[in-house]
């Protein structure tokens, strides 16, 4: 069987062939893996990979799997499935260049007004979550075209708190 | 002795306190908010009283509701844990007025030591060395800047009623004074309901060393050795150990005496912690007294064998502390690290959510004071601490090795945690050689990036899971299966 996996950010083609009972021959990243596997529970798989013992802990999230091995976690998705899903959505790919809280938070202060010129990295909004204050910075230099939040507002990830028009491109970072 | 104690807290510390109560045959009452209906402390207690809103002001910080809950449930005493109302003198006073025992020092002592400037005056009087700085709070940044010129930059802005690192800012020059004051004061006001701030000389590369004290109501005071808590992020301790890698018997005796003097000078009763900064020349300065059970108390319990919560309860009940200083000796080495729901790859921003999978570390010398369970929700409203992982071994090197092993076996899915960061930290040369100063993180881990995860192995695990899940029987087909968390089933019969 052929798979295309997205492991963290990289697309990795994988060839997997079933061997004898509970055995797989896997070819990926130019290497051959002889894998004996045992499913221990809903979230745990034990592997013998080329004879080496590995405990993998898996949870499913947003259509992919978070896989923890030796204390480190990888995000693994089926790349083909991912592309199918993405083509159905109209929204373009992830744009990290937005002034938005990384988690549900409360606005403490807004430090800019519409019309202000901001430098990339300049603090524009301070939010607090779980008793920690965090400053959200301008993702690029430009002009503030809109302020969509005020002190005391509860805000969610994805909400654009400040619209900034980029100086170079003239693009408006808003939806 | 009390028949019943109300624990006015949540999370791992509430659970930890209840465990000792249970061992002492004392019934426990939990209080909980809207966000905590299924929280572990509620499931652990003998009784539980709903307080109200998830917002702390409507629940864990609401003194009247908590006192009413204690009276209605016939609890004789309230244990405040740490945080929330633990260092709130008004709350201790209200308990006294309501005929309830507050398990902690008297209200007057909390008030005086909680006012950091007043505490400094008490320590000066008691002959305890203090850091040069102001002895009064100041609201005007211009006046602060004037003081800073006298003390000499860099200076540290601190919250008068602070603790736990909230409301602190380092100021390197006059231009940073005003923004620093505003930020520190607003953080202090949000965290403690009091925005008053003052200045201290900022010591470069000190170590943070604190002494655990126990004092009974009959004037008997002892210390239970030191804890080094130098490794901090944003002035929040993240790793604590005892003994300190730089401690000598002579220095321990000298600092221990100062800690006992500090407790005596303030009329201290119950368990408390006297914090010091130790400079490169091994001069030590009084920092503050934490008038509560500390987050990091378990490491002291590990090396001394003394249950601090049990002692707190006995002292609060009027008991005599039947330990003398000579009875106290440390054995081995203990390290604690705090496991927060936070994203180490995203500036350690809190990462609330549902714990999708949890496997706690186990084995010799490992203690995990955990406040969550698989399936539990980590609410956004409170401190994101999930557990405190404590390792005990015969010496520091073995304790570090044990900690690395424990962390590698600690699986928490569904929320991001600091585990990968901590694994790298404990394996760093700087930590292993005891180069632990309060700027440790900035010095050695400012540009930290997670180690490359085992991508190939994860890919293989993914494929095995995909092939297996095709034949996986739907959970709904066998309701008696062992997949439901016991806490969820417990939740049902509790109603």
């Amino acid at each position: 069987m052929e798979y295309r996996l997205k492991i963290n950010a990289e697309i990795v083609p994988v060839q997997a062939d079933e061997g004898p009972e509970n055995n797989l021959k896997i070819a990926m990243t130019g290497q051959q893996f002889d894998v004996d596997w045992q499913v221990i529970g809903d979230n745990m798989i034990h592997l013998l990979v080329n004879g080496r013992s590995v405990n993998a802990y898996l949870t499913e999230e947003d259509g992919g799997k978070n896989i923890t091995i030796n204390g480190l976690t990888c995000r693994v998705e089926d790349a083909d499935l991912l592309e199918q899903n993405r083509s159905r959505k109209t929204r373009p790919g992830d744009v990290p260049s937005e002034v938005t809280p990384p988690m549900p938070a409360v606005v403490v202060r807004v430090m800019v007004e519409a019309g202000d010129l901001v430098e990339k990295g300049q603090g524009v909004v301070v939010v607090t979550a779980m008793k920690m204050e965090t400053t959200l910075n301008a993702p690029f230099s430009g002009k503030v075209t809109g302020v969509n939040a005020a002190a005391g507002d509860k805000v969610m990830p994805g909400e654009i708190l400040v619209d900034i028009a980029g100086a170079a491109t003239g693009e408006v970072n808003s939806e | 002795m009390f028949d019943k104690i109300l624990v006015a807290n949540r999370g791992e510390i509430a659970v930890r306190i209840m465990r000792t109560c249970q061992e002492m045959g004392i019934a426990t009452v939990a209080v909980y908010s809207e966000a905590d209906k299924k929280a572990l402390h509620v499931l652990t207690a003998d009784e539980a009283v709903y307080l109200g809103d998830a917002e702390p002001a409507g629940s864990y910080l609401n003194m009247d509701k908590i006192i009413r809950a204690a009276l209605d449930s016939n609890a004789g005493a309230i244990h405040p844990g740490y945080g929330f109302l633990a260092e709130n003198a008004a709350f201790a006073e209200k308990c006294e007025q309501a005929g309830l025992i507050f398990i902690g020092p008297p209200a007057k002592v909390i008030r005086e030591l909680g006012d950091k400037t007043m505490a400094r005056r008490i320590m000066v009087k008691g002959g305890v060395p203090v850091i040069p700085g102001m002895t009064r709070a100041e609201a005007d940044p211009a006046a602060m800047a004037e003081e800073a010129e006298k003390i000499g930059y860099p200076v540290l802005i601190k919250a008068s009623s602070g603790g736990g690192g909230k409301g602190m800012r380092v100021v390197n020059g006059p231009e940073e004074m005003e923004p620093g004051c505003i930020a520190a004061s607003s953080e202090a006001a949000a965290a403690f309901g009091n925005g008053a701030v003052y200045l201290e000389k900022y010591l470069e590369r000190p170590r943070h060393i604190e002494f655990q004290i126990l004092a009974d109501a009959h004037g008997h005071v002892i210390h239970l050795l030191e804890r080094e808590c130098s490794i901090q992020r944003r002035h929040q301790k993240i790793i604590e150990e005892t003994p300190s890698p730089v401690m000598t018997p002579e220095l321990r005796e000298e600092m221990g005496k100062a800690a006992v003097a500090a407790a005596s000078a303030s009329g201290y009763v119950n368990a408390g912690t006297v914090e010091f900064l130790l400079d490169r020349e091994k001069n030590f300065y009084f920092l503050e007294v934490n008038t509560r059970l500390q987050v990091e108390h378990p490491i002291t319990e590990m090396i001394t064998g003394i249950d601090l919560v049990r002692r707190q309860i006995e002292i609060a009940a009027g008991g005599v502390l039947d330990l003398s200083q000579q009875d106290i000796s440390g054995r081995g080495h203990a390290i604690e690290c705090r496991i927060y729901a936070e994203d180490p790859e995203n500036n350690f921003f809190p990462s609330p959510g549902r714990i999708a999978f949890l496997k706690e570390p186990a084995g010799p010398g490992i203690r995990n004071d955990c406040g969550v369970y698989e399936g539990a929700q980590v609410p956004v409203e409170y401190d994101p601490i999930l557990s405190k992982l404590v390792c005990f071994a015969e010496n520091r090197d073995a304790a570090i090795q044990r900690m690395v092993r424990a962390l590698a076996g600690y699986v928490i899915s569904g929320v991001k945690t600091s585990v990968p960061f901590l694994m790298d930290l404990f394996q760093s040369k700087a930590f292993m050689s005891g180069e632990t100063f309060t700027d440790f993180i900035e010095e050695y881990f400012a540009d930290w990036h997670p180690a490359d995860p085992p991508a190939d192995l994860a890919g293989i695990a993914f494929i095995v899971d995909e092939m297996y899940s095709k034949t996986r029987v739907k959970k709904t087909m066998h309701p008696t299966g062992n997949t439901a968390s016991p806490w969820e089933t417990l939740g049902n019969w509790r109603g």
Side-chain angles (χ1 to χ4, degrees):
Chain A
M1 248 171 293
E2 278 176 40
Y3 288 89
R4 280 193 335 123
L5 301 185
K6 188 176 172 198
I7 305 180
N8 292 327
E10 274 180 61
I11 304 285
V12 181
V14 181
Q15 173 73 38
D17 296 305
E18 290 197 75
E21 200 179 335
N22 286 18
N23 179 274
L24 283 172
K25 311 283 180 218
I26 292 180
M28 64 192 290
T29 57
Q31 297 170 82
Q32 298 288 333
F33 298 98
D34 181 73
V35 180
D36 288 317
W37 57 268
Q38 292 293 337
V39 173
I40 309 299
D42 275 347
N43 299 96
M44 183 178 176
I45 287 172
H46 180 255
L47 305 171
L48 284 173
V49 180
N50 296 339
R52 193 174 127 215
S53 177
V54 177
N55 287 313
Y57 301 90
L58 305 92
T59 51
E60 306 212 354
E61 193 184 297
D62 300 331
K65 298 182 207 289
N66 293 329
I67 301 178
T68 304
I69 295 169
N70 290 331
L72 297 171
T73 301
C74 271
R75 168 91 183 151
V76 186
E77 293 155 296
D78 184 329
D80 295 328
L81 205 64
L82 214 59
E83 272 163 27
Q84 279 170 31
N85 289 345
R86 182 164 296 154
S87 61
R88 281 191 222 118
K89 293 182 183 171
T90 50
R91 198 167 174 268
D94 297 329
V95 183
S97 50
E98 294 167 337
V99 180
T100 187
M103 60 168 294
V106 177
V107 176
V108 179
R109 281 189 297 282
V110 178
M111 297 181 288
V112 292
E113 290 174 21
D116 286 359
L117 292 175
V118 292
E119 291 288 318
K120 180 177 177 179
Q122 180 183 335
V124 292
V125 180
V126 179
V127 296
T128 175
M130 289 169 151
K131 296 205 262 169
M132 289 296 295
E133 289 195 2
T134 297
T135 302
L136 304 178
N137 300 323
F140 42 77
S141 300
K143 187 175 183 178
V144 176
T145 57
V147 174
N148 311 321
D153 285 359
K154 289 191 175 179
V155 290
M156 299 295 288
E159 266 181 62
I160 311 300
L161 308 188
V162 175
D163 297 324
I164 301 168
T169 60
E171 88 184 271
V172 176
N173 176 26
S174 175
E175 293 191 292
Chain B
M1 187 46 67
F2 312 110
D3 296 323
K4 196 186 278 184
I5 291 174
L6 180 142
V7 180
N9 216 299
R10 64 180 302 283
E12 66 81 22
I13 193 60
V15 174
R16 187 264 166 272
I17 293 162
M18 288 172 191
R19 284 180 173 147
T20 288
C21 292
Q22 287 163 356
E23 289 163 15
M24 296 175 77
I26 298 169
T28 54
V29 183
V31 289
Y32 65 100
S33 75
E34 189 64 36
D36 276 344
K37 286 181 172 170
K38 294 190 193 176
L40 186 56
H41 72 285
V42 177
L43 307 178
T44 306
D46 296 302
E47 295 171 42
V49 180
Y50 174 75
L51 292 178
D53 290 351
E55 285 288 314
S59 48
Y60 301 107
L61 284 177
N62 193 308
M63 302 186 216
D64 293 336
K65 281 186 184 173
I66 290 170
I67 285 173
R68 174 53 43 208
L71 294 173
D72 288 349
S73 57
N74 291 316
I78 296 182
H79 197 305
Y82 58 72
F84 293 122
L85 296 170
E87 293 178 277
N88 188 313
F91 181 65
E93 222 150 55
K94 283 190 182 219
C95 289
E96 285 165 29
Q97 285 159 6
L100 295 161
I101 303 287
F102 175 83
I103 302 176
K108 178 175 179 285
V109 175
I110 299 176
R111 181 165 290 123
E112 291 180 353
L113 292 177
D115 179 337
K116 304 305 178 200
T117 49
M118 165 88 84
R120 286 168 59 84
R121 295 198 291 275
I122 293 172
M123 295 309 147
V124 171
K125 235 171 127 184
V128 181
V130 301
I131 303 170
M134 296 163 68
T135 50
R136 308 268 170 210
E138 175 59 62
D140 176 18
M144 293 280 263
E146 242 172 71
E147 280 291 333
E149 293 295 340
K150 281 189 233 159
I151 300 168
Y153 286 99
V155 293
L156 187 64
I157 305 174
K158 294 184 72 176
S160 280
S161 50
K166 304 259 159 56
M168 292 216 290
R169 286 292 184 283
V170 179
V171 178
N172 293 302
E175 68 288 348
E176 291 174 24
M177 186 58 82
E178 193 169 341
C181 284
I182 292 169
S185 179
S186 106
E187 214 171 282
F192 316 112
N194 178 358
V197 291
Y198 72 102
L199 289 183
E200 269 178 13
K201 171 84 186 148
Y202 180 68
L203 299 178
E204 310 254 11
R205 303 204 88 196
R207 286 172 188 265
H208 177 118
I209 294 179
E210 60 186 30
F211 276 71
Q212 176 70 49
I213 51 165
L214 277 178
D216 67 14
H218 314 284
H220 183 38
V221 188
I222 59 167
H223 73 81
L224 276 71
L225 314 174
E226 81 279 5
R227 292 184 290 254
E228 172 154 354
C229 317
S230 298
I231 302 202
Q232 309 184 355
R233 190 190 320 113
R234 300 178 188 134
H235 303 291
Q236 282 269 23
K237 299 166 190 165
I238 56 171
I239 289 166
E240 301 94 357
E241 65 182 308
T242 182
S244 161
V246 289
M247 193 53 71
T248 61
E250 297 73 35
L251 182 60
R252 182 176 292 124
E253 188 167 341
E254 206 186 329
M255 292 181 78
K257 272 189 186 147
V260 169
S264 302
S266 57
Y268 206 88
V269 179
N270 214 294
T273 294
V274 184
E275 297 188 332
F276 298 100
L277 288 180
L278 184 73
D279 71 15
R280 308 297 305 249
E281 288 76 42
K282 295 204 176 173
N283 300 307
F284 62 90
Y285 305 94
F286 169 80
L287 195 58
E288 60 187 42
V289 180
N290 294 128
T291 57
R292 55 154 197 267
L293 185 66
Q294 291 281 79
V295 176
E296 59 272 22
H297 77 275
I299 56 173
T300 297
E301 297 184 324
M302 298 303 264
I303 66 155
T304 62
I306 291 167
D307 180 338
L308 286 168
V309 173
R310 182 183 281 262
R311 294 290 172 175
Q312 281 195 294
I313 293 170
E314 287 170 355
I315 289 168
V320 175
L321 180 60
D322 57 356
L323 290 168
S324 66
Q325 194 62 59
Q326 294 88 279
D327 295 332
I328 306 301
S329 64
R331 192 178 134 262
H333 197 98
I335 306 178
E336 173 187 284
C337 62
R338 305 181 184 192
I339 311 294
Y340 287 102
E342 61 186 8
D343 185 356
E345 291 176 61
N346 185 15
N347 208 17
F348 295 91
F349 213 76
S351 168
R354 182 179 171 274
I355 310 275
F357 180 74
L358 177 68
K359 181 180 161 288
E360 292 185 52
I366 290 174
R367 164 175 170 180
N368 192 38
D369 281 20
C370 188
V372 294
Y373 54 89
E374 189 174 309
Q377 201 73 36
V378 181
V380 59
E381 286 85 359
Y382 314 114
D383 253 22
I385 190 163
L386 302 176
S387 85
K388 299 178 319 207
L389 177 56
V390 181
C391 287
F392 172 71
E394 60 181 291
N395 57 50
R396 187 171 191 267
D397 288 348
I400 294 171
Q401 289 167 346
R402 184 158 279 171
M403 183 62 89
V404 172
R405 171 181 71 77
L407 285 167
Y410 199 169
V411 187
I412 306 168
S413 310
V415 298
K416 301 261 173 60
T417 73
S418 39
V419 167
F421 176 76
L422 292 167
M423 291 210 315
D424 283 357
L425 195 157
F426 283 116
Q427 292 176 94
S428 68
K429 277 207 181 76
F431 186 81
M432 289 199 275
S433 60
E435 290 292 304
T436 47
F437 303 99
T438 53
D439 65 354
F440 181 91
I441 303 283
E442 293 87 33
E443 178 77 20
Y444 302 106
F445 283 87
D447 299 320
W448 178 82
H449 289 288
D452 281 340
D456 290 348
L457 296 177
I460 293 167
F462 180 94
I463 287 174
V464 169
D465 192 54
E466 279 297 292
M467 300 184 84
Y468 160 69
S469 62
K470 275 185 239 157
T471 57
R472 186 181 288 174
V473 184
K474 290 265 181 264
K475 277 184 200 173
T476 48
M477 285 181 66
H478 43 162
T480 52
N482 59 1
T483 50
S485 142
W487 302 116
E488 284 171 7
T489 45
L490 272 176
N492 287 335
W493 60 251
R494 294 186 76 259

